[in-house]
Amino acid sequence: MTERAPLGVAVIGTGRMGADHVRRIHEVTSGARVVAVADVDAERAKAVAARVDGCTAHTDPAAALAADGVDAVLVASPGPAHEATLLAAFERDLPVLCEKPLTPDAASALRVLEAELRLGHRRVQVGFMRRYDPEYAKLKALLTTGQLGRPLMLHNRHRNVASPPFFTSSMLVTDSVAHEADATRWLLGHEIIAVTVLRPTPSASAPDGLQDPQFVVFETDGGALSDVEIFVNCGFGYQVQAELVCERGTARIGDGHALVTNMAGRWGGTIAQDWTERFETAYDREVQAWVDATRRGVVTGPSAWDGYAAMAVCEAGVRALEDGGRVEIDLVDRPALYA
Amino acid sequence: MTERAPLGVAVIGTGRMGADHVRRIHEVTSGARVVAVADVDAERAKAVAARVDGCTAHTDPAAALAADGVDAVLVASPGPAHEATLLAAFERDLPVLCEKPLTPDAASALRVLEAELRLGHRRVQVGFMRRYDPEYAKLKALLTTGQLGRPLMLHNRHRNVASPPFFTSSMLVTDSVAHEADATRWLLGHEIIAVTVLRPTPSASAPDGLQDPQFVVFETDGGALSDVEIFVNCGFGYQVQAELVCERGTARIGDGHALVTNMAGRWGGTIAQDWTERFETAYDREVQAWVDATRRGVVTGPSAWDGYAAMAVCEAGVRALEDGGRVEIDLVDRPALYA
Amino acid sequence: MTERAPLGVAVIGTGRMGADHVRRIHEVTSGARVVAVADVDAERAKAVAARVDGCTAHTDPAAALAADGVDAVLVASPGPAHEATLLAAFERDLPVLCEKPLTPDAASALRVLEAELRLGHRRVQVGFMRRYDPEYAKLKALLTTGQLGRPLMLHNRHRNVASPPFFTSSMLVTDSVAHEADATRWLLGHEIIAVTVLRPTPSASAPDGLQDPQFVVFETDGGALSDVEIFVNCGFGYQVQAELVCERGTARIGDGHALVTNMAGRWGGTIAQDWTERFETAYDREVQAWVDATRRGVVTGPSAWDGYAAMAVCEAGVRALEDGGRVEIDLVDRPALYA
Amino acid sequence: MTERAPLGVAVIGTGRMGADHVRRIHEVTSGARVVAVADVDAERAKAVAARVDGCTAHTDPAAALAADGVDAVLVASPGPAHEATLLAAFERDLPVLCEKPLTPDAASALRVLEAELRLGHRRVQVGFMRRYDPEYAKLKALLTTGQLGRPLMLHNRHRNVASPPFFTSSMLVTDSVAHEADATRWLLGHEIIAVTVLRPTPSASAPDGLQDPQFVVFETDGGALSDVEIFVNCGFGYQVQAELVCERGTARIGDGHALVTNMAGRWGGTIAQDWTERFETAYDREVQAWVDATRRGVVTGPSAWDGYAAMAVCEAGVRALEDGGRVEIDLVDRPALYA
């Protein structure tokens, strides 16, 4: 491919997230086009492909990767299917944007990482899209100026209106807090070395048997703490907040005060109801950044190492949730490729 | 009276405001006690007096002023009754805290002012209690530091949930905007020299025939503008806001963001529903300041000159409202006593 | 052109704004590409064209319009040059996105409008990009729900850090308040029928002879008022705020509270320093919306009528500024094409 | 004493806090007067007494309690001296407002509590003045309405500009977090059953050897969590914030947004620099409430039980800080007097 030709993308998985990425690349992202999609549900794949001129539909991801004009792969299938697709993409040396989690456990994440190491160059960007959110980006930029001094603590709030029926207590850690695990690592530039999960009496609004909310405390190798309130049945909105406490000041994002009204005895604003509203721009930026970097032949975003480290933290988190204690995290040595 | 003995106060008028001042002096203010009350409604006066040990009830204000132990007078009767009580107090050389308006028109205000001039010393403090509001006080203090530079504009919002049945279009100026007339004069340290009143189509929530809202523009002798949105049937709360625009920055009060909630898709806080809630502390501080100054034998608050100037502005405002044009304000020369 | 082929755009004018639009179409906007640029400065045109594969450079706008592959025109040249380019585009029946002002005065704006009427279908979208700002869009959407009731007043603040050396007192109206003229018309759905400009003593920070700030009051045919503080040497930041006051509540945008810090005795956030920062997303959305509509063969944004009406308001505003009184606005009848 | 006579108060301890209480009772509180003061420093006691007519100075607290006209006692001496004064007051059956801590450890607090039990009626109000802060009061009132549902978590921030030289790591728990221990118990209506103290790497701004900040997690017998960031060398201001997370929403206090400025690229407001500024009104209300209740012959504020429970929590907190684990709290049975 030349740098000027649009990037041909195969999108693996055409569920809610995959179909949205197809729409994004087709309508929002400049310089890319979807040339193939794959889904185990053939009808779904066909329906999504039909919206894009010249896009072919497949049931086998490998077939989509082999389709004409495929320069790169976006993986949005369920987590357990990621490993096979990633390895297939490596065989063809294709760049991949892989939705989080990289894979559903630390062992498989490590296998992916080792496969990429054998390839000898980075091919995977993991879909930690908060790094592309304008507010998180401002927080990171502010920290980098050094004005606030060294980071000491990070207080995170992560709230959803209601959890889907299949959500388990462990998934609050692996599906939701995984974002804070990455945000903590990325913002602070530290690795997480231990995790504790506290279990208040569940909310009456939580489904029977679901431990919701939870309060998670990460300890980092830089001596900082990062605490996370995860509350997936808060009822009132989708809210992601972070307050960074440093030696000379604090900074907070996520209040989202743009439109303020006065009505009927109340001032204030609306709270987003889901992540598509809150992080729409972040997703757009993420995909555009990946397209642009890919066309330049480089990989710049969250790496397989970031995906592996987040998975290792989440696995420890699930153990901490179940055992009620503090669980230490043991990472393999960081390969030079991810330095 | 010695400085240590509690100040004996006669309260003239025992309606909503007068009764509240009796309660305040009795329960909140240290160093003062109510010794006499007067009201044209004898039963109401008796009921209020009965709550305070040793307090006598009268129907004639002059009798209340002559009662045993009266050191000072608080006037909370209707505006048209103020002049007579003020002149009676001057005869006895008693200090007076007089609820605004000083009197209901500029001519009578000028007569009161001239009577005080003949007395040769200040005896009247006018009840412009916004000067005692902690937020207005912070705004004034900030302006005084000079950090913001010279004031250029003042944007005021003055909103009530609903107007009482007797409210007329003129009263939006004379009863409500009178506060902004004083706040403008006090904050900026300028006299107001012209007023324009703009009349948008009235709100459907306003009673038939009431010009509500109005938009008032004051021009000052310091070259500043002060605009006032007065909206007495806004429906949603009682809100007093002011943004001061200066050469190097702006400052805003009145958002009142103390308690912020997240619920049902909204973040925000409550808006006070009336002035007793919003300005409770201001009233408390006003009365306490007056008691303390009085016991030291001085008068420190808004003067008869301030009461007269506000009345002259409001009279011009009513003409501007009725004629639709810009009306200039012509004050008598400022006596040295009020320099 | 088919709907699927990228839209070929000629960009007329390659100054700051034009060059930024070239970059935007090239890097941000999907579905469009720049095929020709024109500028009276041949070197500047060449430099900008060189950044885009297959883009030709011209000094004559007509030559750019005639270039191979031109499907549409984006006009970003100085205002006085707009009319000729617009008429040339009409001859070729090309869709045009024309930066504001449509033309520099109401008479020439009317000529453009009449030319489009002769064409018989809409071809021009005017660059009032606030309509694409997410906050303004939320404000409009909220008003449209009817929850707030009928609009009564709109309070606007428009502040720039410092004005460029060539800025005149009239330009505060024609260059800056022009945005509020359009925002008022668009948000309220009213035409503006009169304008008054008040002149406080200029700020010491304003260049000698510049009437800055100004306070502009618009009256609309729907009985609403819209006041504008325009202050182009405020020193502290670029700030665009609007508070809509309706029968049942108010709504405010422009506070921009996303990232809040605590440091050295202060809490708060940063204020953007210019419009590129504040309205980056609005410009992106504007261009994308235009591209998308154009490829569907329709025109959906601000029309030549909107451009003409804004110009007529600004002309009256300049007279009001100079004469110190209230100036009524007289529009021609609204053609059915712009109903 | 009759209900109408001013309450005669002996103030024990005339350091910073005691002298401030003398001033408050003398100048702010209606219905009370200081009749005796005591301090081990005779000169300091005399200097403070000299400011109040008829107030006697003592070095022995017992002598002050025995002075003519003493109806009640306010204890503001150092913590280790509290027990003796409290027991002396009990012997005279005098009502006491005792600054926190009730006593410096749980064992002595329990002795005081048992002495009050022998007396058979409540005589002690502990100085947990946050219960009188308008914002905390609003938070409690909101929770009591039930709108938010059951409380699940309470996130507390407690920040001081800088710690005094004598401050130790334990004192962050016993002097500072003691307030959150009481606020947690009072707001939630739960007892605290376990405490964990996490120790991030200390800030470079903290004196050598001081563990600052700390992150404290309380677990309650109602199944709620309450976490406290205590940071006594934050550098930027004095800040007390609390966010209550309930089943149907959250509520936050402590942002203190009253006066908002725009200047030099920043919007925002000032942060108080110490507790006298932030909690001035709370102290005033606390003393007035105590005076009023006392004159009615009742005790209504935080009890000896509250003082004991807070001390037990703090003792466990110090152990948790030192040992690095979770420490359970074991209270004696709650006597009926404190039900």
Side-chain angles (χ1 to χ4, degrees):
Chain A
M1 92 195 149
T2 74
E3 202 192 321
R4 293 302 168 194
L7 185 77
V9 179
V11 175
I12 310 304
T14 56
R16 182 178 177 189
M17 179 69 88
D20 192 52
H21 278 311
V22 170
R23 177 203 60 77
R24 179 172 292 109
I25 293 172
H26 188 47
E27 297 175 9
V28 180
T29 309
S30 79
R33 65 198 172 97
V34 182
V35 295
V37 299
D39 202 290
V40 289
D41 179 338
E43 290 314 304
R44 190 159 71 174
K46 274 184 206 165
V48 168
R51 292 176 213 146
V52 183
D53 254 20
C55 175
T56 56
H58 310 260
T59 50
D60 179 6
L65 267 55
D68 259 16
V70 170
D71 301 313
V73 187
L74 193 159
V75 179
S77 49
H82 287 190
E83 183 177 1
T85 302
L86 287 162
L87 298 179
F90 290 168
E91 275 178 31
R92 296 178 170 275
D93 201 19
L94 292 171
V96 188
L97 175 59
C98 181
E99 270 303 321
K100 66 108 212 167
L102 181 60
T103 64
D105 56 71
S108 53
L110 199 52
R111 285 196 298 271
V112 168
L113 189 151
E114 287 163 351
E116 194 180 30
L117 279 174
R118 283 193 298 273
L119 212 55
H121 47 243
R122 282 190 53 193
R123 274 295 173 237
V124 179
Q125 172 175 328
V126 181
F128 290 126
M129 98 295 162
R130 287 202 192 163
R131 301 190 185 191
Y132 297 92
D133 175 59
E135 295 188 28
Y136 272 98
K138 281 187 193 172
L139 193 54
K140 177 77 171 173
L142 176 63
L143 186 61
T144 304
T145 65
Q147 293 174 60
L148 291 174
R150 197 168 51 83
L152 303 169
M153 286 178 283
L154 179 66
H155 306 304
N156 305 278
R157 310 285 165 256
H158 186 155
R159 295 159 182 162
N160 296 75
V161 176
S163 58
F166 56 79
F167 229 62
T168 64
S169 296
S170 297
M171 290 173 80
L172 272 77
V173 176
T174 55
D175 251 59
S176 302
V177 177
H179 278 294
E180 276 75 25
D182 184 65
T184 297
R185 297 178 61 252
W186 174 67
L187 278 172
L188 304 182
H190 301 170
E191 285 295 350
I192 295 169
I193 57 168
V195 56
T196 308
V197 180
L198 292 151
R199 293 165 295 188
T201 303
S203 169
S205 310
D208 245 33
L210 191 71
Q211 176 58 55
D212 180 40
Q214 300 176 18
F215 191 71
V216 178
V217 183
F218 293 132
E219 301 165 45
T220 79
D221 61 4
L225 292 179
S226 173
D227 59 279
V228 186
E229 175 203 315
I230 174 68
F231 189 7
V232 298
N233 290 281
C234 80
F236 61 78
Y238 177 69
Q239 206 168 40
V240 171
Q241 301 182 322
E243 183 178 26
L244 190 56
V245 180
C246 299
E247 292 184 326
R248 286 194 291 281
T250 85
R252 188 175 71 206
I253 59 169
D255 292 298
H257 288 183
L259 174 62
V260 180
T261 58
N262 289 311
M263 272 192 84
R266 304 271 313 158
W267 61 264
T270 54
I271 305 171
Q273 292 297 302
D274 71 10
W275 48 268
T276 52
E277 185 180 349
R278 169 66 179 83
F279 285 117
E280 182 188 16
T281 306
Y283 280 108
D284 288 350
R285 289 184 180 210
E286 176 192 50
V287 172
Q288 187 76 54
W290 170 68
V291 164
D292 294 348
T294 297
R295 298 176 89 193
R296 291 196 314 275
V298 296
V299 177
T300 56
S303 69
W305 175 261
D306 296 314
Y308 158 67
M311 231 23 258
V313 169
C314 289
E315 270 192 23
V318 171
R319 286 209 306 282
L321 167 69
E322 288 166 355
D323 302 350
R326 171 179 180 270
V327 176
E328 301 200 349
I329 290 146
D330 196 29
L331 296 179
V332 299
D333 287 344
R334 187 171 186 142
L337 184 63
Y338 306 108
Chain B
M1 96 195 147
T2 74
E3 201 192 323
R4 292 303 169 193
L7 183 78
V9 180
V11 175
I12 310 305
T14 57
R16 181 177 177 190
M17 180 68 87
D20 191 52
H21 278 311
V22 170
R23 177 203 60 77
R24 180 171 291 108
I25 293 172
H26 189 49
E27 296 176 8
V28 179
T29 309
S30 80
R33 64 198 173 99
V34 182
V35 295
V37 299
D39 201 292
V40 289
D41 178 338
E43 291 312 305
R44 190 160 70 173
K46 274 186 206 164
V48 168
R51 293 177 211 145
V52 182
D53 254 21
C55 174
T56 57
H58 310 261
T59 51
D60 179 6
L65 266 55
D68 259 17
V70 169
D71 301 314
V73 186
L74 193 161
V75 179
S77 50
H82 287 190
E83 183 178 1
T85 303
L86 287 161
L87 297 180
F90 289 168
E91 274 177 33
R92 295 179 171 275
D93 202 19
L94 292 171
V96 187
L97 174 60
C98 180
E99 269 303 323
K100 64 108 212 170
L102 181 61
T103 64
D105 55 72
S108 54
L110 200 51
R111 285 196 299 272
V112 167
L113 189 152
E114 287 163 353
E116 193 180 30
L117 280 174
R118 282 193 297 274
L119 212 57
H121 47 243
R122 282 191 54 194
R123 273 297 172 235
V124 178
Q125 172 175 328
V126 181
F128 290 126
M129 96 299 160
R130 286 202 192 163
R131 301 189 186 192
Y132 297 92
D133 175 60
E135 294 188 29
Y136 272 97
K138 280 185 193 172
L139 193 54
K140 176 79 170 171
L142 177 62
L143 186 61
T144 305
T145 64
Q147 292 174 62
L148 291 175
R150 197 168 52 82
L152 302 169
M153 286 179 283
L154 180 65
H155 305 304
N156 305 278
R157 309 286 164 257
H158 186 155
R159 295 159 182 162
N160 296 76
V161 176
S163 57
F166 56 81
F167 230 61
T168 64
S169 295
S170 297
M171 292 174 78
L172 271 75
V173 176
T174 55
D175 252 59
S176 302
V177 177
H179 278 295
E180 277 75 24
D182 184 65
T184 297
R185 297 178 62 252
W186 173 69
L187 278 172
L188 304 183
H190 302 170
E191 285 296 349
I192 295 168
I193 57 166
V195 57
T196 308
V197 180
L198 291 150
R199 293 165 294 187
T201 303
S203 169
S205 310
D208 246 31
L210 191 71
Q211 176 57 56
D212 180 40
Q214 301 176 18
F215 192 71
V216 179
V217 183
F218 294 133
E219 299 165 46
T220 78
D221 61 4
L225 292 180
S226 174
D227 60 278
V228 186
E229 176 203 315
I230 174 66
F231 189 6
V232 298
N233 289 282
C234 80
F236 61 77
Y238 177 70
Q239 206 168 39
V240 172
Q241 301 181 322
E243 184 178 25
L244 191 57
V245 179
C246 299
E247 292 184 324
R248 285 196 290 282
T250 84
R252 188 175 71 208
I253 59 169
D255 293 297
H257 288 183
L259 175 62
V260 181
T261 58
N262 289 312
M263 272 190 84
R266 305 271 313 157
W267 61 264
T270 54
I271 305 172
Q273 292 297 301
D274 70 11
W275 48 267
T276 53
E277 184 179 351
R278 170 64 180 82
F279 285 117
E280 182 187 18
T281 307
Y283 280 108
D284 289 351
R285 289 185 179 209
E286 176 192 50
V287 172
Q288 188 75 54
W290 170 68
V291 164
D292 294 348
T294 297
R295 298 177 89 192
R296 290 195 313 275
V298 296
V299 178
T300 55
S303 69
W305 175 260
D306 296 315
Y308 157 68
M311 232 21 259
V313 169
C314 289
E315 269 192 23
V318 171
R319 284 210 305 282
L321 167 68
E322 289 167 354
D323 302 350
R326 172 179 180 271
V327 177
E328 300 200 350
I329 290 146
D330 195 29
L331 297 178
V332 301
D333 286 345
R334 188 172 184 138
L337 184 64
Y338 306 108
Chain C
M1 97 195 145
T2 74
E3 201 193 324
R4 292 302 168 195
L7 184 77
V9 180
V11 175
I12 310 304
T14 57
R16 183 178 176 191
M17 180 69 86
D20 192 52
H21 278 312
V22 170
R23 177 203 60 76
R24 181 171 290 109
I25 293 171
H26 189 48
E27 296 176 7
V28 180
T29 309
S30 81
R33 65 200 172 98
V34 182
V35 295
V37 299
D39 202 290
V40 289
D41 179 338
E43 290 314 304
R44 190 160 68 172
K46 274 184 206 164
V48 168
R51 292 177 213 145
V52 182
D53 253 22
C55 175
T56 56
H58 310 261
T59 50
D60 178 5
L65 266 55
D68 258 16
V70 169
D71 300 314
V73 187
L74 193 160
V75 179
S77 50
H82 286 190
E83 184 178 359
T85 303
L86 287 162
L87 298 180
F90 289 168
E91 275 177 32
R92 297 179 169 276
D93 201 19
L94 292 171
V96 188
L97 174 60
C98 180
E99 269 304 323
K100 64 109 212 169
L102 180 62
T103 64
D105 55 71
S108 53
L110 201 50
R111 284 196 298 273
V112 167
L113 190 151
E114 287 163 352
E116 194 181 29
L117 280 175
R118 282 192 297 274
L119 214 55
H121 47 243
R122 282 191 53 195
R123 273 298 172 234
V124 179
Q125 172 174 328
V126 181
F128 289 126
M129 97 295 162
R130 287 203 192 162
R131 301 190 185 192
Y132 297 92
D133 175 59
E135 294 188 28
Y136 272 98
K138 280 185 194 173
L139 193 52
K140 176 77 171 172
L142 177 61
L143 186 60
T144 304
T145 65
Q147 293 174 62
L148 291 174
R150 198 168 50 82
L152 303 168
M153 285 179 283
L154 180 65
H155 305 305
N156 304 279
R157 311 284 164 257
H158 187 155
R159 295 159 182 162
N160 296 75
V161 176
S163 57
F166 56 80
F167 230 61
T168 64
S169 296
S170 297
M171 290 174 79
L172 272 76
V173 176
T174 55
D175 252 58
S176 302
V177 177
H179 278 295
E180 276 76 24
D182 184 65
T184 296
R185 296 178 61 253
W186 173 68
L187 277 172
L188 304 183
H190 301 171
E191 285 296 349
I192 295 169
I193 56 168
V195 55
T196 308
V197 180
L198 292 150
R199 293 166 294 187
T201 303
S203 169
S205 310
D208 246 32
L210 192 71
Q211 175 58 54
D212 181 40
Q214 300 175 18
F215 191 72
V216 178
V217 183
F218 294 131
E219 301 165 43
T220 79
D221 61 2
L225 293 179
S226 174
D227 59 280
V228 186
E229 175 202 315
I230 173 68
F231 188 7
V232 298
N233 289 282
C234 81
F236 60 79
Y238 176 70
Q239 207 169 38
V240 171
Q241 301 181 322
E243 183 179 24
L244 190 57
V245 180
C246 299
E247 292 184 324
R248 286 195 290 281
T250 85
R252 188 174 72 208
I253 59 169
D255 293 296
H257 287 183
L259 175 61
V260 180
T261 58
N262 289 312
M263 273 191 82
R266 306 269 313 157
W267 60 265
T270 54
I271 304 172
Q273 293 297 301
D274 71 11
W275 47 268
T276 53
E277 185 179 351
R278 171 65 178 83
F279 285 116
E280 183 188 17
T281 307
Y283 280 110
D284 289 351
R285 289 184 179 210
E286 176 192 52
V287 173
Q288 188 75 55
W290 171 69
V291 164
D292 294 348
T294 298
R295 298 177 88 193
R296 291 197 311 276
V298 295
V299 178
T300 55
S303 68
W305 175 260
D306 296 316
Y308 157 68
M311 235 18 260
V313 169
C314 290
E315 269 192 24
V318 171
R319 285 210 306 283
L321 168 68
E322 289 167 354
D323 302 349
R326 172 179 179 271
V327 176
E328 301 200 351
I329 289 146
D330 196 30
L331 297 179
V332 299
D333 287 343
R334 188 170 185 142
L337 184 64
Y338 306 108
Chain D
M1 96 194 149
T2 75
E3 202 193 321
R4 293 300 168 194
L7 184 78
V9 179
V11 175
I12 310 304
T14 57
R16 181 178 177 188
M17 180 68 87
D20 191 52
H21 278 311
V22 169
R23 177 203 60 76
R24 180 171 291 109
I25 293 171
H26 188 48
E27 296 176 9
V28 179
T29 309
S30 80
R33 63 200 174 96
V34 182
V35 296
V37 299
D39 202 291
V40 289
D41 178 340
E43 290 314 304
R44 190 161 69 174
K46 274 185 205 165
V48 168
R51 293 176 213 145
V52 182
D53 253 23
C55 175
T56 56
H58 311 261
T59 51
D60 179 5
L65 267 55
D68 260 16
V70 169
D71 301 314
V73 187
L74 192 160
V75 179
S77 50
H82 286 190
E83 184 178 1
T85 303
L86 286 161
L87 298 178
F90 289 167
E91 275 178 31
R92 296 178 170 277
D93 201 19
L94 290 171
V96 188
L97 174 60
C98 180
E99 268 304 322
K100 65 108 213 171
L102 180 62
T103 64
D105 56 71
S108 53
L110 200 51
R111 285 196 298 272
V112 168
L113 190 151
E114 287 163 352
E116 193 180 29
L117 280 175
R118 283 192 298 274
L119 213 56
H121 47 243
R122 283 191 53 194
R123 274 297 172 235
V124 178
Q125 172 175 328
V126 182
F128 290 126
M129 97 296 161
R130 287 202 191 163
R131 302 190 185 191
Y132 298 92
D133 176 59
E135 294 188 28
Y136 273 97
K138 281 186 194 173
L139 193 53
K140 177 78 170 172
L142 177 63
L143 186 60
T144 304
T145 64
Q147 292 174 61
L148 292 174
R150 196 168 52 83
L152 302 169
M153 286 179 283
L154 179 66
H155 305 305
N156 304 278
R157 310 285 164 257
H158 186 155
R159 295 161 182 161
N160 297 76
V161 176
S163 57
F166 55 81
F167 229 62
T168 64
S169 295
S170 297
M171 291 174 78
L172 271 77
V173 176
T174 56
D175 253 59
S176 302
V177 177
H179 279 293
E180 276 76 24
D182 185 66
T184 296
R185 297 178 61 253
W186 174 68
L187 277 173
L188 304 183
H190 301 170
E191 284 296 350
I192 295 168
I193 57 168
V195 56
T196 308
V197 180
L198 292 150
R199 293 165 294 188
T201 303
S203 169
S205 310
D208 246 31
L210 190 71
Q211 176 57 55
D212 181 40
Q214 299 176 18
F215 192 72
V216 179
V217 183
F218 293 133
E219 301 165 43
T220 79
D221 61 3
L225 293 179
S226 172
D227 59 280
V228 186
E229 176 204 314
I230 174 68
F231 188 6
V232 298
N233 290 280
C234 80
F236 61 78
Y238 177 71
Q239 207 168 40
V240 172
Q241 301 181 321
E243 182 178 27
L244 190 56
V245 180
C246 299
E247 292 184 324
R248 285 194 292 280
T250 84
R252 188 176 72 208
I253 59 169
D255 293 296
H257 288 182
L259 175 61
V260 180
T261 58
N262 289 312
M263 272 191 84
R266 303 272 311 158
W267 62 264
T270 54
I271 304 171
Q273 293 298 300
D274 72 10
W275 48 269
T276 54
E277 185 180 349
R278 170 65 179 81
F279 286 117
E280 182 188 17
T281 307
Y283 279 109
D284 289 351
R285 290 185 179 208
E286 176 192 51
V287 173
Q288 187 76 53
W290 171 68
V291 164
D292 294 348
T294 298
R295 298 176 89 194
R296 290 196 313 274
V298 295
V299 178
T300 56
S303 69
W305 175 260
D306 296 315
Y308 157 68
M311 236 15 262
V313 169
C314 289
E315 270 192 23
V318 171
R319 286 210 305 283
L321 167 69
E322 289 167 354
D323 302 350
R326 171 180 181 271
V327 177
E328 302 200 349
I329 290 146
D330 196 29
L331 297 179
V332 299
D333 287 344
R334 187 170 186 142
L337 183 64
Y338 306 108

